[in-house]
Amino acid sequence: MQVSGQKIVVLGTGGTIAGTSAQAGDNIGYTAAQVGVAQLLAAVPGLQHAAGGAELHAEQVAQIDSKDMDMSVWQTLALRCAQHLQDPAVTGVVITHGTDTLEETAWFLSQVLDVRCKPVVLTCAMRPATALTPDGPQNLLDAMAVAAAQGARGVVSVAAGEIHGPRHVQKVHPYRVHAFSSGEAGPLGWVEEGVVRLVQDWPLAPNPSALNAFKMIANAPLWPRVEIVLNHAGASGAMVDALVRDGVQGIVVACTGNGTLHHALEAALLKAQDVGVRVVRSTRCAQGQVLPKPGDALPDSQGLSPVKARVSLMLDILQGQSA
Ligand code: ASP
């Protein structure tokens, strides 16, 4: 079956979904990013049917363990997505990705791509392709169903039968197949026997200034340096001072609770902000977000987790540099 003229592009970046282990059944002692994306697709019966009969086009953008994800891969990935999304024949893009940094890539792409009318669907696996019961094939089938779904749009992640939006999705378990959660927000919906059942709307389109970010990242020679520090019992300002000496441009701090900081760390962050370093407070709490109070000296991340706040701060600094 092929719906004439319709195409779904699958961009491979590596991850456990493309991983192999020497022994079948070894779910942890494997090497990620070994199997090419075309081979991955060829191993899943019924994929084109799941894609509503669309032609599948596979392209290897990277072949890495996503713990090693970096800005240059993000840049290439965004450019490839943008190019394919412009093609009227392309109904959606699926990205195979490692689970470790999937939420960061999802947030990044959601901030730089025009996905108001088409979906970009990230999928992954917790078990390598050589596992006795790998989760990758089902996740790929489900991702195809989402990419082909009527009205689908935005950057979403699909794993273990759930569809997650880019703002809330987080990897919450290092081993379980059901490793992703959107916390209190819940998933956008599910894929059941190839059918998408939504309980929330597709993700909102990013605001126009975020879309401008695409132009910047397309040509960004150098990404701004933004680091994450953590508040904890006995925290000090030493790391922040060292980062400032080292030329850091932005710091996201994973605060305790509702944006609270050890007084020594807070003093160092205020000093950093005074000399021009952008500082953003997020929370290390797994749920909820920092609620701002009048007179807060350090801005909060507006609900973004530390890793996503870092992505947004990098994009913000880039935009500021080009203004
Ligand atoms: N380390 C792997 C990766 O992120 C883990 C996974 O994909 O499950 O690429």
Side-chain angles (χ1 to χ4, degrees):
M1 174 178 65
Q2 188 166 319
V3 177
S4 85
Q6 299 207 333
K7 211 169 19 164
I8 291 180
V9 175
V10 187
L11 303 178
T13 69
T16 295
I17 192 168
T20 57
S21 58
Q23 268 183 320
D26 186 349
N27 289 333
I28 55 171
Y30 62 86
T31 310
Q34 301 299 300
V35 184
V37 64
Q39 206 183 328
L40 276 185
L41 301 191
V44 184
L47 209 50
Q48 196 176 15
H49 181 76
E55 178 196 336
L56 303 183
H57 168 82
E59 189 178 309
Q60 197 78 48
V61 169
Q63 188 62 303
I64 58 169
D65 185 317
S66 82
K67 70 180 175 58
D68 298 322
M69 184 53 70
D70 61 24
M71 285 81 218
S72 74
V73 177
W74 276 354
Q75 194 173 27
T76 310
L77 192 56
L79 293 173
R80 296 310 297 141
C81 284
Q83 170 140 23
H84 287 300
L85 290 168
Q86 272 171 13
D87 179 348
V90 170
T91 52
V93 173
V94 170
I95 299 172
T96 57
H97 199 288
T99 58
D100 287 345
T101 56
L102 179 138
E103 71 213 54
E104 294 174 55
T105 301
W107 181 246
F108 166 70
L109 292 177
S110 79
Q111 295 305 293
V112 300
L113 291 178
D114 185 352
V115 280
R116 286 171 288 185
C117 304
K118 293 183 185 182
V120 170
V121 185
L122 287 103
T123 195
C124 56
M126 288 298 286
R127 295 179 181 162
T130 48
L132 290 178
T133 53
D135 51 331
Q138 185 64 53
N139 286 346
L140 264 174
L141 284 165
D142 291 347
M144 282 302 165
V146 173
Q150 195 70 33
R153 59 175 158 79
V155 177
V156 295
S157 305
V158 172
E162 294 181 341
I163 308 165
H164 294 277
R167 173 169 276 272
H168 297 289
V169 68
Q170 270 192 309
K171 185 174 180 179
V172 294
H173 202 284
Y175 179 72
R176 266 200 326 242
V177 166
H178 191 175
F180 286 90
S181 169
S182 290
E184 295 165 322
L188 302 181
W190 296 270
V191 187
E192 295 154 339
E193 298 298 306
V195 177
V196 172
R197 177 163 66 93
L198 278 194
V199 287
Q200 301 187 50
D201 202 0
W202 297 105
L204 286 175
N207 62 42
S209 79
L211 286 178
N212 287 339
F214 179 75
K215 294 189 199 107
M216 250 106 47
I217 64 121
N219 304 309
L222 224 49
W223 287 69
R225 174 145 176 239
V226 177
E227 300 284 352
I228 300 175
V229 298
L230 181 74
N231 191 47
H232 51 82
S236 78
M239 291 237 283
V240 168
D241 293 343
L243 287 171
V244 174
R245 279 197 301 275
D246 207 35
V248 77
Q249 289 161 278
I251 298 176
V252 172
V253 55
C255 299
T256 32
N258 190 34
T260 57
L261 288 163
H262 186 287
H263 62 84
L265 178 54
E266 184 171 27
L269 288 165
L270 287 169
K271 221 166 54 181
Q273 186 172 254
D274 281 349
V275 297
V277 176
R278 294 279 305 275
V279 179
V280 170
R281 285 177 310 135
S282 183
T283 178
R284 66 179 218 188
C285 291
Q287 308 261 346
Q289 65 182 73
V290 174
L291 300 174
K293 300 186 299 303
D296 278 341
L298 297 170
D300 67 274
S301 67
Q302 302 187 342
L304 293 178
S305 67
V307 291
K308 291 180 192 175
R310 175 177 175 269
V311 170
S312 284
L313 186 51
M314 282 195 298
L315 293 175
D316 222 40
I317 293 173
L318 264 182
Q319 299 206 57
Q321 281 171 352
S322 72

